[in-house]
Amino acid sequence: MWACVSATSPRIPNQLSPAKSLERMVFDRAMNRLASYISTKASFPKVWQEASQNVETILWVTPAELEEVTHEVLGIFNRFRDRISDPSTRTEGSLPVEALMFTYPVRLPEGSQ
């Protein structure tokens, strides 16, 4: 594993804090599941192949707008939350589907160090 540290950082390079290690483990696990699906996608029924999507986009937003986007997307995800713990609410023919959402700036704001 790696860590981005400054020259003045007391942290030892190539080591992550426990919180960052857990974050990285969760990320790696999700990416491994995605890679597994991609490599086996042709084995799934056509309806599942067509329904699953990989979307990547750039949004030009302010922090407040990003919070709004996150809130709205989480609202959609939360509509299905009860199905995790209550199998009786699952629609016939449904499968567990992982939905990943990463939102992060791709560069520092003007004037930032």
Side-chain angles (χ1 to χ4, degrees):
M1 297 204 169
W2 62 273
C4 182
V5 295
S6 72
T8 60
S9 175
R11 203 164 179 208
I12 300 168
N14 299 325
Q15 288 187 346
L16 297 175
S17 69
K20 290 294 181 186
S21 293
L22 177 60
E23 183 179 298
R24 184 61 193 222
M25 182 190 75
V26 170
F27 175 81
D28 288 345
R29 186 180 66 186
M31 292 299 100
N32 288 337
R33 284 193 300 255
L34 175 59
S36 176
Y37 172 70
I38 290 169
S39 68
T40 62
K41 185 174 181 176
S43 303
F44 281 80
K46 189 132 181 96
V47 66
W48 281 103
Q49 292 179 47
E50 292 173 354
S52 65
Q53 300 293 317
N54 297 323
V55 177
E56 189 274 336
T57 189
I58 298 291
L59 307 172
W60 283 83
V61 296
T62 65
E65 291 169 326
L66 182 55
E67 285 182 17
E68 185 178 331
V69 168
T70 300
H71 179 75
E72 290 180 25
V73 172
L74 289 178
I76 294 168
F77 290 175
N78 286 335
R79 291 193 333 224
F80 303 94
R81 188 176 202 97
D82 62 330
R83 295 181 183 191
I84 295 169
S85 60
D86 185 357
S88 70
T89 62
R90 298 175 189 164
T91 306
E92 186 176 336
S94 65
L95 291 175
V97 171
E98 183 165 32
L100 303 172
M101 182 175 81
F102 303 105
T103 59
Y104 51 89
V106 296
R107 65 172 173 83
L108 288 170
E110 298 291 326
S112 295
Q113 293 285 357

